[in-house]
Structure formats: C-alpha cells, structure tokens
Amino acid sequence: MTERAAVKAALKTQAVETPSWAYGNSGTRFKVFAQQGVARTPQEKLDDAAKVHEFTGVAPTVALHIPWDEVDDYAALARHAEDRGLRLGAINSNTFQDDDYRLGSVCHPDAAVRRKAVDHLLECVDIMDATGSKDLKLWFADGTNYPGQDDIRARQDRLAEALAEVYGRLGDDQRMLLEYKLFEPAFYTTDVPDWGTAYAHCLKLGPKARVVVDTGHHAPGTNIEFIVATLLREGRLGGFDFNSRFYADDDLMVGAADPFQLFRIMYEVVRGGGLSGDVAFMLDQCHNVESKIPAIVRSVMNVQEATAKALLVDRDALAAAQREGDVLGANAVLMDAFSTDVRPLLREVREEMGLDPDPLAAYARSGWAEKIVAERVGGEQAGWGA
C-alpha cells in the first residue's frame, strides 16, 4: 500500500462522536440564544446528528447527557439511533445543576448529598446497560472558592470513595472516563483540576478507568500534546474532547483558535497509536451564534484536516533529523506536513466513500435546514441545561 493509500485508509476509518447538547440552544452565562428549527427532544437531536454523519461519513455515534436526554425507554432511543445509522456513545453524567450541589457533589461535606450524586452516577451505568454504551463520562464541578472552606484532602478521599463504588458497578466491557478542568465554577481549588489528579485516581481504580483530555481545560500555554503523548504511552487516554478556546473554556469550534495546536495534538495521537486504539474522540462545543448543524459538520471537517496533516508527517525523515540533532530539519518536517493543503485529498476520500466531496454544500442543498424550521414549531426547544 502506498503512503497516500495508507493515509486515505486511516481517514476512512476515523470516527468523531458528536454531542447531543450541541444540537440544542446554548449561549453565554448571560443569555441563551434560541434558533429556529432546533431539536426539541432527544430523538430530534439524533435526527440532526444523522445528517452530520450522512454528509461526513465519520460521525457514527452520539453522546448523551443525563438528565438533559432523559427518556422513559432508553432501549427505544438506541433503536431510534440505529434506524438512522447511528449508535449511542458515551453517557455523560450531570452533578452540577442541582441546588444540593452548591458545595459539591461527590466531594460535598454532607454524606446525604454525596449519596444523591453517586446514585445518579449509578443510574447512568444502568442507562449504559440499556443503550449498549461503553463509556461513562464523568466531569465534576466540585471545588471550593475560599481557603479553609473545606478540607482539601478529605475531599479527595470522598472523591476516591465515590469513584470506587461506581467503578465496581461497571460491566466487563464498560469504562469510566474521568475528565479534569483547571477551574470554573470553583475558583480556589478544583477537586479534579489536572491530568495528574485524574490519572492518579484512575491508576488506583484499575484498567477500566481512563483520563479524558478537553482542549479548553488547561492553563494558557499548557503543552496539551505532551499530556496526550504521556497518557497514550501509559495506556490511559480514554477520550479526547475537541473544541477551541481563546481565553478559557470557550467551547468554540475545534481548530478555530489554533489549528496548529490541533495538528500537534493529532500528530501525537497518530504517533501513539490513538487512531487505531480505543480512544473516544468527541466534539464538546457550544454553537451560540452560528447555525448548529453546519458548525458541527465544519468541526468534523477540521478534525479530519488536522488528522490528514498528522498522517502526512514523514516519520522516517523526522526520526533521522532527531537522531542527528538537526533541530531545524526536524521542525521543518512537521511544518511541511502542517502547510500541506489536504482538502483535495479529503475530497478524494469522501468520493471514494460515496459521499459528496463538499459536506457543507451538500447539507445546504439537502433542504434539511428548511425542513426542521417548518416542522419544529411548538413544543419546548432543547437547550443548555435541558
């Protein structure tokens, strides 16, 4: 197989999970901006996600968020997805939108609140059983705002106890993916603030516990590709949440702020075998001022372009330059790949997959946007927090 054929083969097998919440209304802390035709139910979110997969060919799974996507019959929801060529992906828990969680959830000083939070996480595993989902995604808003507010070490003990109980409930083919975030909403201490804390808890739990890296969850200047490389080396990178940011956790379209960073990250993914492994790649974005479905399609395309460039890195030439200590030569190998216009290559890939070479144009011609605006009248639109 030629190098070009190998690159195309890898791109055809790539999968990017889309999040159900991206198909609903979202906004800033000050305002949620409603758009016409936005999904009103989990089923309509899946209908929209099916269009993204139809035109990109690489978005076959959809992550759910509980209780935002709560339904009476999760097996029926899974069948709804299958009927549209999709599967249900990670089940995301929510322990941050209840009044009881003002001082935390699984780390709360009150045992009754901790019990409530853990019971919700166990419920999410029940939902996984019903949907066939393999991954439980955990992100905790737990933390403190003031020195002395709570016992930092005790909160870690409470976290470990909660994680251990939920881990013990997982099936043989299910995983726990633990996400971290530097700050927000807690501003003094965050209980899972960095990859080291998440990694330490996962190591203690066992092999079914993995770390999730979110592009927006780091201090400015953090070398995210180093974290990705290290976790891949240790076999503990469970998932990667794609988005982009200028300041903090902006949740903008992936590649919008720093496409070179996205390329560097994807090179380490390729280098570490992450494309062919069990790493779950998901968009985790909010589309506040742009149309939602086209924004998600564009985001998938951005991931594809960064991946194509990463696959085009001449690894033999790079290794040779590194052995020889040729600093500029080694950097030039990476820069040559990053500077390559991969759009013609991706058009070929799509045509060979039986897709339109221009997914955005194909979606615009499909009439789906006009159809949902006309049909989705009445009811309550899905939105952030619902």
Side-chain angles (χ1 to χ4, degrees):
M1 183 182 294
T2 66
E3 179 188 9
R4 185 179 181 84
V7 169
K8 290 164 75 172
L11 291 169
K12 291 174 186 177
T13 60
Q14 187 174 28
V16 180
E17 187 161 296
T18 67
S20 68
W21 52 97
Y23 298 100
N25 286 316
S26 57
T28 68
R29 286 180 294 172
F30 308 105
K31 169 70 176 175
V32 173
F33 302 103
Q35 297 183 17
Q36 289 184 305
V38 164
R40 298 164 297 181
T41 65
Q43 290 82 0
E44 288 183 350
K45 293 178 184 179
L46 292 174
D47 295 343
D48 289 346
K51 291 298 172 182
V52 174
H53 184 47
E54 177 183 340
F55 294 114
T56 65
V58 294
T61 60
V62 181
L64 299 184
H65 209 299
I66 307 300
W68 299 352
D69 296 314
E70 194 170 50
V71 295
D72 292 332
D73 189 336
Y74 288 99
L77 187 65
R79 290 192 296 272
H80 185 90
E82 291 168 7
D83 289 343
R84 283 145 185 82
L86 301 172
R87 301 188 310 278
L88 297 182
I91 302 300
N92 292 255
S93 60
N94 185 322
T95 55
F96 53 85
Q97 282 194 310
D98 191 290
D99 285 345
D100 284 344
Y101 299 145
R102 183 170 62 90
L103 299 179
S105 61
V106 296
C107 301
H108 198 288
D110 187 332
V113 175
R114 296 199 300 273
R115 183 70 258 161
K116 175 179 177 177
V118 171
D119 285 346
H120 167 69
L121 302 183
L122 295 173
E123 176 195 11
C124 288
V125 182
D126 293 339
I127 293 171
M128 293 169 65
D129 292 341
T131 60
S133 300
K134 304 301 182 186
D135 291 334
L136 172 67
K137 179 87 74 69
L138 304 178
W139 174 72
F140 299 107
D142 292 39
T144 65
N145 279 350
Y146 296 97
Q149 177 181 324
D150 201 0
D151 187 312
I152 294 174
R153 179 165 176 165
R155 292 180 73 91
Q156 289 297 309
D157 292 340
R158 299 167 198 156
L159 173 63
E161 181 180 354
L163 292 176
E165 181 176 350
V166 178
Y167 186 88
R169 168 65 181 82
L170 295 174
D172 292 339
D173 61 345
Q174 295 174 335
R175 306 187 304 173
M176 172 187 290
L177 305 184
L178 182 58
E179 189 172 353
Y180 59 90
K181 186 175 183 179
L182 176 65
F183 76 101
E184 190 190 41
F187 292 104
Y188 173 59
T189 63
T190 300
D191 290 314
V192 190
D194 51 42
W195 72 275
T197 304
Y199 179 56
H201 280 284
C202 288
L203 278 182
K204 189 172 183 178
L205 288 166
K208 291 185 288 187
R210 307 286 181 93
V211 180
V212 174
V213 176
D214 183 301
T215 318
H217 287 191
H218 306 82
T222 299
N223 190 315
I224 299 174
E225 57 266 34
F226 172 83
I227 299 170
V228 170
T230 301
L231 290 173
L232 278 169
R233 180 176 179 270
E234 297 298 321
R236 289 286 177 159
L237 181 64
F240 195 97
D241 285 2
F242 289 114
N243 53 51
S244 200
R245 66 98 179 260
F246 287 99
Y247 297 103
D249 186 23
D250 303 336
D251 280 344
L252 299 174
M253 287 170 49
V254 59
D258 190 349
F260 185 46
Q261 179 191 62
L262 179 60
F263 161 75
R264 299 193 310 265
I265 290 169
M266 291 312 300
Y267 172 70
E268 292 303 333
V269 168
V270 170
R271 165 72 177 81
L275 278 188
S276 57
D278 56 358
V279 181
F281 296 103
M282 188 193 80
L283 302 179
D284 186 8
Q285 305 173 172
C286 293
H287 305 291
N288 303 334
V289 297
E290 65 271 33
S291 298
K292 299 181 186 304
I293 299 174
I296 297 171
V297 171
R298 177 71 263 183
S299 298
V300 172
M301 294 170 66
N302 287 350
V303 174
Q304 289 180 297
E305 290 178 16
T307 305
K309 292 180 178 185
L311 289 164
L312 288 173
V313 171
D314 188 337
R315 292 170 64 174
D316 290 338
L318 181 61
Q322 290 169 342
R323 286 193 303 269
E324 295 165 6
D326 183 357
V327 176
L328 292 178
N331 178 250
V333 172
L334 282 181
M335 295 308 299
D336 285 345
F338 176 67
S339 299
T340 302
D341 184 358
V342 296
R343 290 173 298 177
L345 173 66
L346 283 164
R347 284 195 288 268
E348 288 181 27
V349 168
R350 295 183 187 112
E351 287 175 335
E352 292 174 10
M353 294 174 67
L355 303 171
D356 191 291
D358 187 341
L360 280 172
Y363 173 74
R365 291 193 306 269
S366 72
W368 184 255
E370 295 78 10
K371 175 181 170 66
I372 59 179
V373 167
E375 294 183 354
R376 294 177 183 173
V377 177
E380 184 175 348
Q381 288 187 327
W384 191 87

